[in-house]
PDB file of all heavy atoms in Angstrom:
ATOM      1  N   MET A  25       0.785  12.262  -2.270  1.00 96.00           N
ATOM      2  CA  MET A  25      -0.264  12.276  -1.352  1.00 96.00           C
ATOM      3  C   MET A  25       0.177  12.305   0.135  1.00 96.00           C
ATOM      4  O   MET A  25       1.076  11.500   0.495  1.00 96.00           O
ATOM      5  CB  MET A  25      -0.977  10.976  -1.562  1.00 96.00           C
ATOM      6  CG  MET A  25      -2.261  10.753  -0.769  1.00 96.00           C
ATOM      7  SD  MET A  25      -3.311   9.294  -1.277  1.00 96.00           S
ATOM      8  CE  MET A  25      -3.884   9.708  -2.912  1.00 96.00           C
ATOM      9  N   PRO A  26      -0.336  13.338   0.908  1.00 94.00           N
ATOM     10  CA  PRO A  26       0.199  13.561   2.297  1.00 94.00           C
ATOM     11  C   PRO A  26      -0.144  12.203   3.139  1.00 94.00           C
ATOM     12  O   PRO A  26      -1.088  11.595   2.984  1.00 94.00           O
ATOM     13  CB  PRO A  26      -0.726  14.695   2.793  1.00 94.00           C
ATOM     14  CG  PRO A  26      -1.266  15.359   1.493  1.00 94.00           C
ATOM     15  CD  PRO A  26      -1.282  14.356   0.474  1.00 94.00           C
ATOM     16  N   GLY A  27       0.921  11.867   3.891  1.00 94.00           N
ATOM     17  CA  GLY A  27       0.796  10.750   4.838  1.00 94.00           C
ATOM     18  C   GLY A  27       1.007   9.415   4.216  1.00 94.00           C
ATOM     19  O   GLY A  27       0.898   8.386   4.805  1.00 94.00           O
ATOM     20  N   VAL A  28       1.387   9.460   2.925  1.00 97.00           N
ATOM     21  CA  VAL A  28       1.616   8.255   2.226  1.00 97.00           C
ATOM     22  C   VAL A  28       3.088   8.079   1.973  1.00 97.00           C
ATOM     23  O   VAL A  28       3.684   9.052   1.413  1.00 97.00           O
ATOM     24  CB  VAL A  28       0.799   7.965   0.883  1.00 97.00           C
ATOM     25  CG1 VAL A  28       1.244   6.800   0.123  1.00 97.00           C
ATOM     26  CG2 VAL A  28      -0.683   8.056   1.185  1.00 97.00           C
ATOM     27  N   ARG A  29       3.658   6.916   2.257  1.00 97.00           N
ATOM     28  CA  ARG A  29       5.093   6.712   2.019  1.00 97.00           C
ATOM     29  C   ARG A  29       5.336   5.577   1.063  1.00 97.00           C
ATOM     30  O   ARG A  29       5.005   4.436   1.315  1.00 97.00           O
ATOM     31  CB  ARG A  29       5.810   6.489   3.349  1.00 97.00           C
ATOM     32  CG  ARG A  29       7.301   6.143   3.212  1.00 97.00           C
ATOM     33  CD  ARG A  29       7.973   6.297   4.569  1.00 97.00           C
ATOM     34  NE  ARG A  29       7.437   5.468   5.657  1.00 97.00           N
ATOM     35  CZ  ARG A  29       8.200   4.360   6.068  1.00 97.00           C
ATOM     36  NH1 ARG A  29       9.331   4.074   5.589  1.00 97.00           N
ATOM     37  NH2 ARG A  29       7.670   3.691   7.011  1.00 97.00           N
ATOM     38  N   LEU A  30       5.976   5.810  -0.049  1.00 97.00           N
ATOM     39  CA  LEU A  30       6.396   4.676  -0.952  1.00 97.00           C
ATOM     40  C   LEU A  30       7.416   3.814  -0.287  1.00 97.00           C
ATOM     41  O   LEU A  30       8.383   4.442   0.287  1.00 97.00           O
ATOM     42  CB  LEU A  30       6.776   5.341  -2.334  1.00 97.00           C
ATOM     43  CG  LEU A  30       5.800   5.892  -3.274  1.00 97.00           C
ATOM     44  CD1 LEU A  30       6.484   6.559  -4.433  1.00 97.00           C
ATOM     45  CD2 LEU A  30       4.957   4.684  -3.731  1.00 97.00           C
ATOM     46  N   ILE A  31       7.330   2.607  -0.640  1.00 98.00           N
ATOM     47  CA  ILE A  31       8.431   1.651  -0.121  1.00 98.00           C
ATOM     48  C   ILE A  31       9.037   1.058  -1.331  1.00 98.00           C
ATOM     49  O   ILE A  31       8.442   0.270  -2.095  1.00 98.00           O
ATOM     50  CB  ILE A  31       7.795   0.557   0.785  1.00 98.00           C
ATOM     51  CG1 ILE A  31       7.008   1.114   1.958  1.00 98.00           C
ATOM     52  CG2 ILE A  31       8.901  -0.422   1.270  1.00 98.00           C
ATOM     53  CD1 ILE A  31       7.801   1.881   2.940  1.00 98.00           C
ATOM     54  N   GLY A  32      10.308   1.398  -1.396  1.00 96.00           N
ATOM     55  CA  GLY A  32      11.117   0.894  -2.605  1.00 96.00           C
ATOM     56  C   GLY A  32      10.948   1.853  -3.796  1.00 96.00           C
ATOM     57  O   GLY A  32       9.909   2.186  -4.225  1.00 96.00           O
ATOM     58  N   GLU A  33      12.173   2.218  -4.161  1.00 96.00           N
ATOM     59  CA  GLU A  33      12.297   2.993  -5.423  1.00 96.00           C
ATOM     60  C   GLU A  33      13.397   2.419  -6.363  1.00 96.00           C
ATOM     61  O   GLU A  33      14.370   2.942  -6.705  1.00 96.00           O
ATOM     62  CB  GLU A  33      12.676   4.476  -5.100  1.00 96.00           C
ATOM     63  CG  GLU A  33      11.688   5.197  -4.272  1.00 96.00           C
ATOM     64  CD  GLU A  33      10.705   6.003  -5.201  1.00 96.00           C
ATOM     65  OE1 GLU A  33      10.697   5.652  -6.417  1.00 96.00           O
ATOM     66  OE2 GLU A  33       9.930   6.752  -4.709  1.00 96.00           O
ATOM     67  N   PRO A  34      13.087   1.157  -6.787  1.00 97.00           N
ATOM     68  CA  PRO A  34      14.161   0.442  -7.600  1.00 97.00           C
ATOM     69  C   PRO A  34      14.416   1.140  -8.889  1.00 97.00           C
ATOM     70  O   PRO A  34      13.493   1.821  -9.555  1.00 97.00           O
ATOM     71  CB  PRO A  34      13.469  -0.925  -7.801  1.00 97.00           C
ATOM     72  CG  PRO A  34      12.002  -0.739  -7.733  1.00 97.00           C
ATOM     73  CD  PRO A  34      11.845   0.346  -6.786  1.00 97.00           C
ATOM     74  N   GLY A  35      15.638   0.916  -9.511  1.00 96.00           N
ATOM     75  CA  GLY A  35      15.946   1.537 -10.708  1.00 96.00           C
ATOM     76  C   GLY A  35      15.146   1.084 -11.810  1.00 96.00           C
ATOM     77  O   GLY A  35      14.823   1.834 -12.739  1.00 96.00           O
ATOM     78  N   GLN A  36      14.590  -0.187 -11.824  1.00 97.00           N
ATOM     79  CA  GLN A  36      13.682  -0.728 -12.833  1.00 97.00           C
ATOM     80  C   GLN A  36      12.626  -1.405 -12.039  1.00 97.00           C
ATOM     81  O   GLN A  36      12.860  -2.384 -11.258  1.00 97.00           O
ATOM     82  CB  GLN A  36      14.437  -1.664 -13.861  1.00 97.00           C
ATOM     83  CG  GLN A  36      15.301  -1.025 -14.892  1.00 97.00           C
ATOM     84  CD  GLN A  36      15.850  -2.029 -15.829  1.00 97.00           C
ATOM     85  OE1 GLN A  36      16.585  -2.985 -15.630  1.00 97.00           O
ATOM     86  NE2 GLN A  36      15.396  -1.862 -17.084  1.00 97.00           N
ATOM     87  N   ARG A  37      11.428  -0.971 -12.438  1.00 97.00           N
ATOM     88  CA  ARG A  37      10.206  -1.534 -11.709  1.00 97.00           C
ATOM     89  C   ARG A  37       9.284  -2.000 -12.673  1.00 97.00           C
ATOM     90  O   ARG A  37       9.040  -1.588 -13.744  1.00 97.00           O
ATOM     91  CB  ARG A  37       9.554  -0.345 -10.876  1.00 97.00           C
ATOM     92  CG  ARG A  37       8.382  -0.705  -9.971  1.00 97.00           C
ATOM     93  CD  ARG A  37       7.485   0.449  -9.716  1.00 97.00           C
ATOM     94  NE  ARG A  37       8.162   1.421  -8.962  1.00 97.00           N
ATOM     95  CZ  ARG A  37       8.167   1.526  -7.595  1.00 97.00           C
ATOM     96  NH1 ARG A  37       7.497   0.634  -6.838  1.00 97.00           N
ATOM     97  NH2 ARG A  37       8.875   2.654  -7.053  1.00 97.00           N
ATOM     98  N   LEU A  38       8.613  -3.149 -12.239  1.00 96.00           N
ATOM     99  CA  LEU A  38       7.533  -3.803 -13.106  1.00 96.00           C
ATOM    100  C   LEU A  38       6.362  -4.202 -12.215  1.00 96.00           C
ATOM    101  O   LEU A  38       6.425  -4.807 -11.167  1.00 96.00           O
ATOM    102  CB  LEU A  38       8.085  -5.077 -13.632  1.00 96.00           C
ATOM    103  CG  LEU A  38       7.159  -5.925 -14.465  1.00 96.00           C
ATOM    104  CD1 LEU A  38       6.963  -5.219 -15.784  1.00 96.00           C
ATOM    105  CD2 LEU A  38       7.617  -7.342 -14.633  1.00 96.00           C
ATOM    106  N   SER A  39       5.176  -3.488 -12.563  1.00 97.00           N
ATOM    107  CA  SER A  39       3.795  -3.782 -12.148  1.00 97.00           C
ATOM    108  C   SER A  39       3.461  -3.495 -10.730  1.00 97.00           C
ATOM    109  O   SER A  39       2.301  -3.302 -10.421  1.00 97.00           O
ATOM    110  CB  SER A  39       3.537  -5.323 -12.368  1.00 97.00           C
ATOM    111  OG  SER A  39       4.060  -6.168 -11.551  1.00 97.00           O
ATOM    112  N   VAL A  40       4.348  -3.522  -9.798  1.00 98.00           N
ATOM    113  CA  VAL A  40       4.136  -3.380  -8.419  1.00 98.00           C
ATOM    114  C   VAL A  40       4.444  -2.083  -7.718  1.00 98.00           C
ATOM    115  O   VAL A  40       5.492  -1.508  -8.081  1.00 98.00           O
ATOM    116  CB  VAL A  40       4.775  -4.580  -7.571  1.00 98.00           C
ATOM    117  CG1 VAL A  40       4.784  -4.240  -6.091  1.00 98.00           C
ATOM    118  CG2 VAL A  40       4.197  -5.932  -7.916  1.00 98.00           C
ATOM    119  N   VAL A  41       3.463  -1.563  -6.890  1.00 98.00           N
ATOM    120  CA  VAL A  41       3.675  -0.370  -6.140  1.00 98.00           C
ATOM    121  C   VAL A  41       3.357  -0.603  -4.703  1.00 98.00           C
ATOM    122  O   VAL A  41       2.205  -1.056  -4.436  1.00 98.00           O
ATOM    123  CB  VAL A  41       2.900   0.854  -6.631  1.00 98.00           C
ATOM    124  CG1 VAL A  41       3.312   2.178  -5.772  1.00 98.00           C
ATOM    125  CG2 VAL A  41       3.063   1.187  -8.092  1.00 98.00           C
ATOM    126  N   SER A  42       4.427  -0.494  -3.785  1.00 98.00           N
ATOM    127  CA  SER A  42       4.129  -0.822  -2.400  1.00 98.00           C
ATOM    128  C   SER A  42       4.231   0.512  -1.607  1.00 98.00           C
ATOM    129  O   SER A  42       5.101   1.469  -1.906  1.00 98.00           O
ATOM    130  CB  SER A  42       5.226  -1.768  -1.892  1.00 98.00           C
ATOM    131  OG  SER A  42       4.920  -3.084  -2.169  1.00 98.00           O
ATOM    132  N   PHE A  43       3.369   0.703  -0.643  1.00 98.00           N
ATOM    133  CA  PHE A  43       3.381   1.898   0.140  1.00 98.00           C
ATOM    134  C   PHE A  43       2.801   1.620   1.561  1.00 98.00           C
ATOM    135  O   PHE A  43       2.247   0.617   1.892  1.00 98.00           O
ATOM    136  CB  PHE A  43       2.534   2.996  -0.543  1.00 98.00           C
ATOM    137  CG  PHE A  43       1.123   2.626  -0.786  1.00 98.00           C
ATOM    138  CD1 PHE A  43       0.096   2.949   0.145  1.00 98.00           C
ATOM    139  CD2 PHE A  43       0.745   1.909  -1.954  1.00 98.00           C
ATOM    140  CE1 PHE A  43      -1.309   2.578  -0.073  1.00 98.00           C
ATOM    141  CE2 PHE A  43      -0.600   1.576  -2.185  1.00 98.00           C
ATOM    142  CZ  PHE A  43      -1.633   1.918  -1.263  1.00 98.00           C
ATOM    143  N   LEU A  44       2.951   2.733   2.414  1.00 97.00           N
ATOM    144  CA  LEU A  44       2.421   2.703   3.718  1.00 97.00           C
ATOM    145  C   LEU A  44       1.653   4.018   3.966  1.00 97.00           C
ATOM    146  O   LEU A  44       1.980   4.949   3.255  1.00 97.00           O
ATOM    147  CB  LEU A  44       3.598   2.518   4.800  1.00 97.00           C
ATOM    148  CG  LEU A  44       4.276   1.136   4.935  1.00 97.00           C
ATOM    149  CD1 LEU A  44       5.406   1.275   5.853  1.00 97.00           C
ATOM    150  CD2 LEU A  44       3.261   0.212   5.340  1.00 97.00           C
ATOM    151  N   VAL A  45       0.700   3.940   4.933  1.00 97.00           N
ATOM    152  CA  VAL A  45      -0.022   5.263   5.327  1.00 97.00           C
ATOM    153  C   VAL A  45       0.442   5.477   6.773  1.00 97.00           C
ATOM    154  O   VAL A  45       0.411   4.579   7.654  1.00 97.00           O
ATOM    155  CB  VAL A  45      -1.486   4.971   5.242  1.00 97.00           C
ATOM    156  CG1 VAL A  45      -2.157   6.287   5.756  1.00 97.00           C
ATOM    157  CG2 VAL A  45      -1.833   4.710   3.822  1.00 97.00           C
ATOM    158  N   ASP A  46       0.941   6.655   7.051  1.00 95.00           N
ATOM    159  CA  ASP A  46       1.442   6.939   8.359  1.00 95.00           C
ATOM    160  C   ASP A  46       0.359   6.612   9.384  1.00 95.00           C
ATOM    161  O   ASP A  46      -0.819   7.005   9.373  1.00 95.00           O
ATOM    162  CB  ASP A  46       1.731   8.562   8.465  1.00 95.00           C
ATOM    163  CG  ASP A  46       2.917   8.899   7.549  1.00 95.00           C
ATOM    164  OD1 ASP A  46       3.733   7.905   7.193  1.00 95.00           O
ATOM    165  OD2 ASP A  46       3.101  10.067   7.339  1.00 95.00           O
ATOM    166  N   GLY A  47       0.865   6.043  10.479  1.00 93.00           N
ATOM    167  CA  GLY A  47      -0.004   5.633  11.606  1.00 93.00           C
ATOM    168  C   GLY A  47      -0.865   4.588  11.438  1.00 93.00           C
ATOM    169  O   GLY A  47      -1.679   4.335  12.385  1.00 93.00           O
ATOM    170  N   ALA A  48      -0.804   3.887  10.290  1.00 95.00           N
ATOM    171  CA  ALA A  48      -1.849   2.880  10.030  1.00 95.00           C
ATOM    172  C   ALA A  48      -1.150   1.513   9.744  1.00 95.00           C
ATOM    173  O   ALA A  48      -0.056   1.457   8.953  1.00 95.00           O
ATOM    174  CB  ALA A  48      -2.748   3.240   8.873  1.00 95.00           C
ATOM    175  N   HIS A  49      -1.765   0.440  10.199  1.00 95.00           N
ATOM    176  CA  HIS A  49      -1.245  -0.929   9.812  1.00 95.00           C
ATOM    177  C   HIS A  49      -1.595  -1.288   8.425  1.00 95.00           C
ATOM    178  O   HIS A  49      -2.734  -0.925   7.938  1.00 95.00           O
ATOM    179  CB  HIS A  49      -1.721  -2.037  10.747  1.00 95.00           C
ATOM    180  CG  HIS A  49      -1.019  -3.346  10.682  1.00 95.00           C
ATOM    181  ND1 HIS A  49      -1.240  -4.247   9.544  1.00 95.00           N
ATOM    182  CD2 HIS A  49       0.079  -3.901  11.392  1.00 95.00           C
ATOM    183  CE1 HIS A  49      -0.432  -5.284   9.775  1.00 95.00           C
ATOM    184  NE2 HIS A  49       0.392  -5.052  10.742  1.00 95.00           N
ATOM    185  N   PRO A  50      -0.780  -1.846   7.616  1.00 96.00           N
ATOM    186  CA  PRO A  50      -1.057  -2.193   6.196  1.00 96.00           C
ATOM    187  C   PRO A  50      -2.430  -2.954   6.087  1.00 96.00           C
ATOM    188  O   PRO A  50      -3.160  -2.688   5.085  1.00 96.00           O
ATOM    189  CB  PRO A  50       0.098  -3.056   5.692  1.00 96.00           C
ATOM    190  CG  PRO A  50       1.167  -2.615   6.606  1.00 96.00           C
ATOM    191  CD  PRO A  50       0.724  -2.212   7.913  1.00 96.00           C
ATOM    192  N   ASN A  51      -2.691  -3.855   7.027  1.00 96.00           N
ATOM    193  CA  ASN A  51      -3.885  -4.657   6.944  1.00 96.00           C
ATOM    194  C   ASN A  51      -5.086  -3.726   7.084  1.00 96.00           C
ATOM    195  O   ASN A  51      -6.195  -3.984   6.507  1.00 96.00           O
ATOM    196  CB  ASN A  51      -3.929  -5.701   7.924  1.00 96.00           C
ATOM    197  CG  ASN A  51      -2.844  -6.799   7.562  1.00 96.00           C
ATOM    198  OD1 ASN A  51      -2.429  -6.908   6.393  1.00 96.00           O
ATOM    199  ND2 ASN A  51      -2.540  -7.644   8.610  1.00 96.00           N
ATOM    200  N   ASP A  52      -5.060  -2.712   7.984  1.00 96.00           N
ATOM    201  CA  ASP A  52      -6.181  -1.838   8.069  1.00 96.00           C
ATOM    202  C   ASP A  52      -6.455  -1.091   6.847  1.00 96.00           C
ATOM    203  O   ASP A  52      -7.568  -0.841   6.419  1.00 96.00           O
ATOM    204  CB  ASP A  52      -5.973  -0.944   9.272  1.00 96.00           C
ATOM    205  CG  ASP A  52      -5.857  -1.576  10.665  1.00 96.00           C
ATOM    206  OD1 ASP A  52      -6.550  -2.657  10.690  1.00 96.00           O
ATOM    207  OD2 ASP A  52      -5.216  -1.068  11.478  1.00 96.00           O
ATOM    208  N   VAL A  53      -5.343  -0.607   6.218  1.00 97.00           N
ATOM    209  CA  VAL A  53      -5.516   0.180   4.849  1.00 97.00           C
ATOM    210  C   VAL A  53      -6.051  -0.798   3.860  1.00 97.00           C
ATOM    211  O   VAL A  53      -7.080  -0.400   3.095  1.00 97.00           O
ATOM    212  CB  VAL A  53      -4.142   0.619   4.412  1.00 97.00           C
ATOM    213  CG1 VAL A  53      -4.351   1.366   3.068  1.00 97.00           C
ATOM    214  CG2 VAL A  53      -3.540   1.675   5.438  1.00 97.00           C
ATOM    215  N   GLY A  54      -5.690  -1.928   3.727  1.00 96.00           N
ATOM    216  CA  GLY A  54      -6.198  -2.913   2.808  1.00 96.00           C
ATOM    217  C   GLY A  54      -7.669  -3.251   2.964  1.00 96.00           C
ATOM    218  O   GLY A  54      -8.429  -3.311   2.049  1.00 96.00           O
ATOM    219  N   THR A  55      -8.108  -3.301   4.224  1.00 96.00           N
ATOM    220  CA  THR A  55      -9.503  -3.546   4.561  1.00 96.00           C
ATOM    221  C   THR A  55     -10.316  -2.294   4.119  1.00 96.00           C
ATOM    222  O   THR A  55     -11.455  -2.507   3.562  1.00 96.00           O
ATOM    223  CB  THR A  55      -9.676  -3.795   6.109  1.00 96.00           C
ATOM    224  OG1 THR A  55      -8.894  -4.957   6.490  1.00 96.00           O
ATOM    225  CG2 THR A  55     -11.211  -3.980   6.439  1.00 96.00           C
ATOM    226  N   LEU A  56      -9.873  -1.106   4.445  1.00 96.00           N
ATOM    227  CA  LEU A  56     -10.628   0.089   3.953  1.00 96.00           C
ATOM    228  C   LEU A  56     -10.823   0.256   2.440  1.00 96.00           C
ATOM    229  O   LEU A  56     -11.825   0.742   1.999  1.00 96.00           O
ATOM    230  CB  LEU A  56     -10.009   1.254   4.617  1.00 96.00           C
ATOM    231  CG  LEU A  56     -10.173   1.506   6.165  1.00 96.00           C
ATOM    232  CD1 LEU A  56      -9.261   2.582   6.750  1.00 96.00           C
ATOM    233  CD2 LEU A  56     -11.631   1.690   6.573  1.00 96.00           C
ATOM    234  N   LEU A  57      -9.679  -0.130   1.831  1.00 96.00           N
ATOM    235  CA  LEU A  57      -9.746  -0.132   0.328  1.00 96.00           C
ATOM    236  C   LEU A  57     -10.774  -1.241  -0.180  1.00 96.00           C
ATOM    237  O   LEU A  57     -11.532  -0.938  -1.114  1.00 96.00           O
ATOM    238  CB  LEU A  57      -8.404  -0.360  -0.212  1.00 96.00           C
ATOM    239  CG  LEU A  57      -7.411   0.782   0.012  1.00 96.00           C
ATOM    240  CD1 LEU A  57      -6.033   0.349  -0.646  1.00 96.00           C
ATOM    241  CD2 LEU A  57      -7.792   2.034  -0.482  1.00 96.00           C
ATOM    242  N   ASP A  58     -10.831  -2.321   0.284  1.00 94.00           N
ATOM    243  CA  ASP A  58     -11.687  -3.402   0.019  1.00 94.00           C
ATOM    244  C   ASP A  58     -13.058  -2.980   0.166  1.00 94.00           C
ATOM    245  O   ASP A  58     -13.957  -3.426  -0.616  1.00 94.00           O
ATOM    246  CB  ASP A  58     -11.291  -4.582   0.849  1.00 94.00           C
ATOM    247  CG  ASP A  58     -12.301  -5.840   0.479  1.00 94.00           C
ATOM    248  OD1 ASP A  58     -12.258  -6.286  -0.735  1.00 94.00           O
ATOM    249  OD2 ASP A  58     -13.121  -6.249   1.337  1.00 94.00           O
ATOM    250  N   GLN A  59     -13.392  -2.311   1.231  1.00 92.00           N
ATOM    251  CA  GLN A  59     -14.760  -1.789   1.543  1.00 92.00           C
ATOM    252  C   GLN A  59     -15.286  -0.848   0.526  1.00 92.00           C
ATOM    253  O   GLN A  59     -16.386  -0.598   0.355  1.00 92.00           O
ATOM    254  CB  GLN A  59     -14.870  -1.189   2.879  1.00 92.00           C
ATOM    255  CG  GLN A  59     -14.672  -2.208   4.042  1.00 92.00           C
ATOM    256  CD  GLN A  59     -14.527  -1.457   5.449  1.00 92.00           C
ATOM    257  OE1 GLN A  59     -14.462  -0.291   5.534  1.00 92.00           O
ATOM    258  NE2 GLN A  59     -14.519  -2.384   6.530  1.00 92.00           N
ATOM    259  N   GLN A  60     -14.270  -0.319  -0.281  1.00 92.00           N
ATOM    260  CA  GLN A  60     -14.623   0.653  -1.377  1.00 92.00           C
ATOM    261  C   GLN A  60     -14.511  -0.163  -2.716  1.00 92.00           C
ATOM    262  O   GLN A  60     -14.458   0.475  -3.757  1.00 92.00           O
ATOM    263  CB  GLN A  60     -13.834   1.845  -1.269  1.00 92.00           C
ATOM    264  CG  GLN A  60     -13.958   2.572  -0.002  1.00 92.00           C
ATOM    265  CD  GLN A  60     -13.010   3.805   0.040  1.00 92.00           C
ATOM    266  OE1 GLN A  60     -13.128   4.869  -0.584  1.00 92.00           O
ATOM    267  NE2 GLN A  60     -11.996   3.676   0.837  1.00 92.00           N
ATOM    268  N   GLY A  61     -14.381  -1.374  -2.782  1.00 92.00           N
ATOM    269  CA  GLY A  61     -14.277  -2.272  -4.036  1.00 92.00           C
ATOM    270  C   GLY A  61     -12.982  -2.233  -4.731  1.00 92.00           C
ATOM    271  O   GLY A  61     -12.822  -2.572  -5.900  1.00 92.00           O
ATOM    272  N   VAL A  62     -11.949  -1.865  -3.890  1.00 96.00           N
ATOM    273  CA  VAL A  62     -10.590  -1.903  -4.501  1.00 96.00           C
ATOM    274  C   VAL A  62      -9.822  -2.978  -3.889  1.00 96.00           C
ATOM    275  O   VAL A  62      -9.583  -2.996  -2.657  1.00 96.00           O
ATOM    276  CB  VAL A  62      -9.841  -0.622  -4.321  1.00 96.00           C
ATOM    277  CG1 VAL A  62      -8.387  -0.628  -4.860  1.00 96.00           C
ATOM    278  CG2 VAL A  62     -10.625   0.555  -4.975  1.00 96.00           C
ATOM    279  N   ALA A  63      -9.327  -4.037  -4.577  1.00 96.00           N
ATOM    280  CA  ALA A  63      -8.726  -5.252  -4.095  1.00 96.00           C
ATOM    281  C   ALA A  63      -7.208  -5.025  -4.203  1.00 96.00           C
ATOM    282  O   ALA A  63      -6.659  -4.992  -5.418  1.00 96.00           O
ATOM    283  CB  ALA A  63      -9.175  -6.377  -4.860  1.00 96.00           C
ATOM    284  N   VAL A  64      -6.508  -4.843  -3.020  1.00 98.00           N
ATOM    285  CA  VAL A  64      -5.091  -4.889  -3.029  1.00 98.00           C
ATOM    286  C   VAL A  64      -4.612  -5.988  -2.085  1.00 98.00           C
ATOM    287  O   VAL A  64      -5.421  -6.632  -1.413  1.00 98.00           O
ATOM    288  CB  VAL A  64      -4.545  -3.433  -2.664  1.00 98.00           C
ATOM    289  CG1 VAL A  64      -4.936  -2.412  -3.569  1.00 98.00           C
ATOM    290  CG2 VAL A  64      -4.982  -3.136  -1.137  1.00 98.00           C
ATOM    291  N   ARG A  65      -3.367  -6.111  -1.922  1.00 97.00           N
ATOM    292  CA  ARG A  65      -2.714  -7.054  -0.986  1.00 97.00           C
ATOM    293  C   ARG A  65      -2.069  -6.277   0.042  1.00 97.00           C
ATOM    294  O   ARG A  65      -1.388  -5.209  -0.156  1.00 97.00           O
ATOM    295  CB  ARG A  65      -1.837  -8.044  -1.756  1.00 97.00           C
ATOM    296  CG  ARG A  65      -1.105  -9.122  -0.948  1.00 97.00           C
ATOM    297  CD  ARG A  65      -1.959 -10.200  -0.523  1.00 97.00           C
ATOM    298  NE  ARG A  65      -2.861 -10.593  -1.508  1.00 97.00           N
ATOM    299  CZ  ARG A  65      -3.508 -11.832  -1.465  1.00 97.00           C
ATOM    300  NH1 ARG A  65      -3.307 -12.613  -0.339  1.00 97.00           N
ATOM    301  NH2 ARG A  65      -4.223 -12.213  -2.413  1.00 97.00           N
ATOM    302  N   SER A  66      -2.156  -6.796   1.324  1.00 97.00           N
ATOM    303  CA  SER A  66      -1.416  -6.145   2.535  1.00 97.00           C
ATOM    304  C   SER A  66      -0.723  -7.232   3.268  1.00 97.00           C
ATOM    305  O   SER A  66      -1.230  -8.324   3.322  1.00 97.00           O
ATOM    306  CB  SER A  66      -2.389  -5.332   3.236  1.00 97.00           C
ATOM    307  OG  SER A  66      -3.369  -6.124   3.847  1.00 97.00           O
ATOM    308  N   GLY A  67       0.395  -6.830   3.961  1.00 96.00           N
ATOM    309  CA  GLY A  67       1.196  -7.782   4.730  1.00 96.00           C
ATOM    310  C   GLY A  67       2.597  -7.895   4.310  1.00 96.00           C
ATOM    311  O   GLY A  67       3.104  -6.864   3.731  1.00 96.00           O
ATOM    312  N   HIS A  68       3.284  -8.969   4.612  1.00 97.00           N
ATOM    313  CA  HIS A  68       4.605  -9.034   4.276  1.00 97.00           C
ATOM    314  C   HIS A  68       5.013  -9.675   2.982  1.00 97.00           C
ATOM    315  O   HIS A  68       6.129  -9.717   2.533  1.00 97.00           O
ATOM    316  CB  HIS A  68       5.370  -9.838   5.341  1.00 97.00           C
ATOM    317  CG  HIS A  68       4.782 -11.226   5.720  1.00 97.00           C
ATOM    318  ND1 HIS A  68       4.903 -12.249   4.813  1.00 97.00           N
ATOM    319  CD2 HIS A  68       4.250 -11.629   6.826  1.00 97.00           C
ATOM    320  CE1 HIS A  68       4.263 -13.351   5.346  1.00 97.00           C
ATOM    321  NE2 HIS A  68       3.950 -12.931   6.559  1.00 97.00           N
TER     322      HIS A  68
END
């Protein structure tokens, strides 16, 4: 997906996918997703 950067590419992964959107704070992305009915977590 253009403008999306995955954070972490561990050798073995379980359940979690972390990412960033270029030019956007994670909390802003989380808020926009929530407005569309998708509940994710944003922050540290």
Side-chain angles (χ1 to χ4, degrees):
M25 188 173 287
V28 174
R29 176 164 60 108
L30 285 170
I31 303 299
E33 294 274 10
Q36 288 189 292
R37 183 199 300 267
L38 181 72
S39 78
V40 167
V41 182
S42 280
F43 60 91
L44 290 172
V45 176
D46 291 347
H49 193 280
N51 291 342
D52 294 334
V53 178
T55 298
L56 289 171
L57 294 179
D58 177 63
Q59 291 172 354
Q60 300 174 74
V62 178
V64 297
R65 181 73 42 166
S66 59
H68 54 66

